[in-house]
Amino acid sequence: MSRYFVSCARGLEAVTAEELGSLGVSKTEVVPGGVFFEGDQDHLYKAHLWLRSGQRVLLSLRSFRCHTPEDLYENVKSFRWETFLTKGKTFSVDFTISGRNGPRISHSHFARLKAKDAIADRMREKTGQRPDVDTDAPSIRPVFYLRDGLCTLNLDATGESLHERGYRPSSAEAPLKETLAAGILALAQWDKATPLFDPFCGSGTFLCEAAMKAMNWAPGLLRHHYPFMEWPDYHEPRWERLVGEAESARVSLPKGLVRGADQNGRAIQLSRTALKVLGLDDVVSLEQRPWEHTLAPKEPKGLLVANPPYGERMGEVESLVPLYKSIGDGLKQLFPGWRAAIFTGSAPLAKSIGLRPTKRIPLWNGPIECRLLTYDLYAGPSSSTEESEPDSPAISE
Ligand SMILES: C[S@@+](CC[C@H](N)C(=O)[O-])C[C@H]1O[C@@H](n2cnc3c(N)ncnc32)[C@H](O)[C@@H]1O
């Protein structure tokens, strides 16, 4: 068993821990921004195949007290780097410093160079050669965190963040990270059987993530290489077996189960391109239509999920008030019986929806503190969602 850490957006830790649980991991520890877990090689491989909300997996190697550059150098040099940096392998060091540390070890750039020298010196002593540094695509990436005099040394198992699924065109504007979109679907408790509609679909992140989830499509199948494959204990037959299992677990997507709309033709084009990469452009419906002209759905139940624009500058927020009001009106009038999950970074705009949310879940979109507001829109005549939104706590509270 080894100890790992998987990072995720703040607010999604419980979702990520639950995903790990469904992969057979029994020991998890949730901390802000991620989850520690104990697992074997199968768990590491399954995490890369199956995690939807997790971003990056680190293998914890050791921790040590570190108050001076000498502490750092000696502790790093004493690690058996030669087992990882075998012939032809490159490396690159990541170093993050926070909290209160010794005055001579308070700059991450300096600490990174010191750690890099310790690794290179060890390798030269053991093999007679210095390994090459490659900052773009290193074979091995040691990741150090120094906080309050305690340094932890980890190895990056993932490389490029798992949110880079590879289906989305790079030209998309203000897209949600795929991992955050998947986490929102989990928090909204979409059951994969009732229809899902995103009327502000932009580049189609919710649509792609929902489709993949409904198909039991392991997102890690979209990538073919991960840095853990460079590790000396990499067991290719085991990885291939898990890939084979994931491939045969995939089912097809019922036509029309997932659909999206956006008022912007370019957004629809971006969504179509992303869905095409997944081979799903003919089963996910897309329509260029402003929310204000949305039609009532045929189905009595479903999930409406959306990340409407929330404006980052002052004037923009004000100009979006009518849109948010119309979101509230539309939900109430057109979607009784449905659940809605609206993700927004603006407290005043959230309030303009004018409905009482069933849940108000704090969630970070990068550095921006946002809320996921869920609404259970009752089909009955005395719907509690018809009450106007009382003074809701500001998102910054
Ligand atoms: C923040 S983006 C959504 C990003 C999307 N979740 C993604 O991951 O790409 C908001 C989207 O809402 C669309 N939009 C803005 N006002 C709209 C309206 N009144 N009706 C429909 N779509 C609208 C914009 O064109 C934009 O694509």
Side-chain angles (χ1 to χ4, degrees):
M1 284 287 194
S2 300
R3 184 166 164 84
Y4 298 97
F5 175 74
V6 53
S7 57
C8 61
R10 279 179 68 198
L12 286 185
E13 297 88 350
V15 169
T16 305
E18 201 174 315
E19 287 187 46
L20 287 166
S22 72
L23 302 179
V25 170
S26 57
K27 265 190 151 171
T28 55
E29 182 196 337
V30 165
V31 293
V35 184
F36 285 100
F37 69 97
E38 283 187 17
D40 56 21
Q41 217 173 34
D42 262 35
H43 294 132
L44 173 69
Y45 296 176
K46 282 185 187 172
H48 283 84
L49 277 171
W50 287 101
L51 282 183
R52 295 185 194 278
S53 63
Q55 286 174 187
R56 182 186 303 282
V57 184
L58 300 176
L59 165 67
S60 310
L61 290 177
R62 58 163 58 171
S63 58
F64 52 89
R65 301 303 312 174
C66 181
H67 301 289
T68 64
E70 293 74 30
D71 290 343
L72 177 64
Y73 184 86
E74 290 310 325
N75 276 288
V76 177
K77 196 175 173 201
S78 67
F79 186 75
R80 49 187 165 78
W81 293 106
E82 57 281 5
T83 57
F84 286 93
L85 282 165
T86 48
K87 205 170 167 31
K89 298 246 154 102
T90 58
F91 78 112
S92 168
V93 171
D94 231 52
F95 213 114
T96 304
I97 296 186
S98 63
R100 290 161 64 93
N101 299 288
R104 291 171 55 227
I105 186 101
S106 53
H107 294 291
S108 55
H109 179 65
F110 170 76
R112 188 164 58 77
L113 290 181
K114 200 79 192 162
K116 188 191 78 161
D117 284 348
I119 295 171
D121 290 352
R122 164 93 184 197
M123 289 301 294
R124 206 187 40 229
E125 277 171 26
K126 294 285 172 187
T127 69
Q129 281 184 330
R130 280 175 85 92
D132 286 333
V133 170
D134 176 349
T135 47
D136 289 336
S139 325
I140 302 292
R141 199 161 70 96
V143 178
F144 293 85
Y145 291 99
L146 172 60
R147 186 187 170 94
D148 298 332
L150 183 69
C151 189
T152 57
L153 161 56
N154 313 273
L155 270 196
D156 180 1
T158 311
E160 199 176 17
S161 165
L162 293 176
H163 85 269
E164 301 274 2
R165 309 261 204 253
Y167 57 69
R168 198 165 54 193
S170 55
S171 52
E173 279 164 31
L176 277 185
K177 276 189 178 157
E178 294 83 338
T179 41
L180 178 56
I184 289 173
L185 294 176
L187 289 171
Q189 298 181 313
W190 181 48
D191 65 2
K192 306 192 285 188
T194 47
L196 179 136
F197 174 47
D198 177 359
F200 297 85
C201 68
S203 60
T205 319
F206 281 129
L207 308 180
C208 293
E209 290 302 313
M212 291 182 73
K213 187 173 174 146
M215 295 171 76
N216 204 25
W217 183 341
L221 290 174
L222 295 169
R223 284 246 295 259
H224 301 293
H225 188 268
Y226 296 95
F228 66 75
M229 295 174 173
E230 307 274 352
W231 296 356
D233 64 349
Y234 173 56
H235 197 286
E236 195 173 351
R238 178 170 289 166
W239 169 254
E240 292 301 339
R241 171 177 56 79
L242 293 170
V243 166
E245 285 172 17
E247 276 168 350
S248 46
R250 209 161 85 180
V251 295
S252 58
L253 184 73
K255 201 168 177 158
L257 182 75
V258 175
R259 60 190 181 92
D262 198 291
Q263 70 174 10
N264 185 318
R266 188 165 169 275
I268 294 296
Q269 200 47 50
L270 287 171
S271 286
R272 187 162 290 124
T273 306
L275 289 162
K276 211 168 190 155
V277 171
L278 297 176
L280 299 174
D281 50 319
D282 56 347
V283 275
V284 173
S285 340
L286 288 171
E287 191 184 16
Q288 183 176 355
R289 182 184 282 275
W291 164 258
E292 294 80 352
H293 295 172
T294 295
L295 305 175
K298 290 190 290 294
E299 308 86 354
K301 274 182 170 186
L303 175 69
L304 181 152
V305 63
N307 157 221
Y310 48 83
E312 272 152 40
R313 284 176 288 270
M314 278 301 282
E316 280 175 358
V317 171
E318 259 162 50
S319 71
L320 288 167
V321 168
L323 174 64
Y324 274 70
K325 280 195 172 131
S326 86
I327 291 175
D329 294 344
L331 291 179
K332 203 162 60 183
Q333 287 158 18
L334 305 172
F335 291 86
W338 279 53
R339 171 172 295 162
I342 307 291
F343 180 68
T344 182
S346 165
L349 288 174
K351 212 172 156 189
S352 301
I353 292 175
L355 305 177
R356 187 195 295 276
T358 321
K359 285 189 194 154
R360 212 185 261 120
I361 305 169
L363 207 50
W364 273 256
N365 187 5
I368 308 171
E369 188 182 355
C370 299
R371 287 285 185 276
L372 177 66
L373 306 155
T374 66
Y375 303 88
D376 285 312
L377 302 154
Y378 293 118
S382 59
S383 162
S384 70
T385 58
E386 288 181 19
E387 292 174 39
S388 64
E389 163 78 334
D391 280 348
S392 59
I395 276 179
S396 57
E397 270 178 11

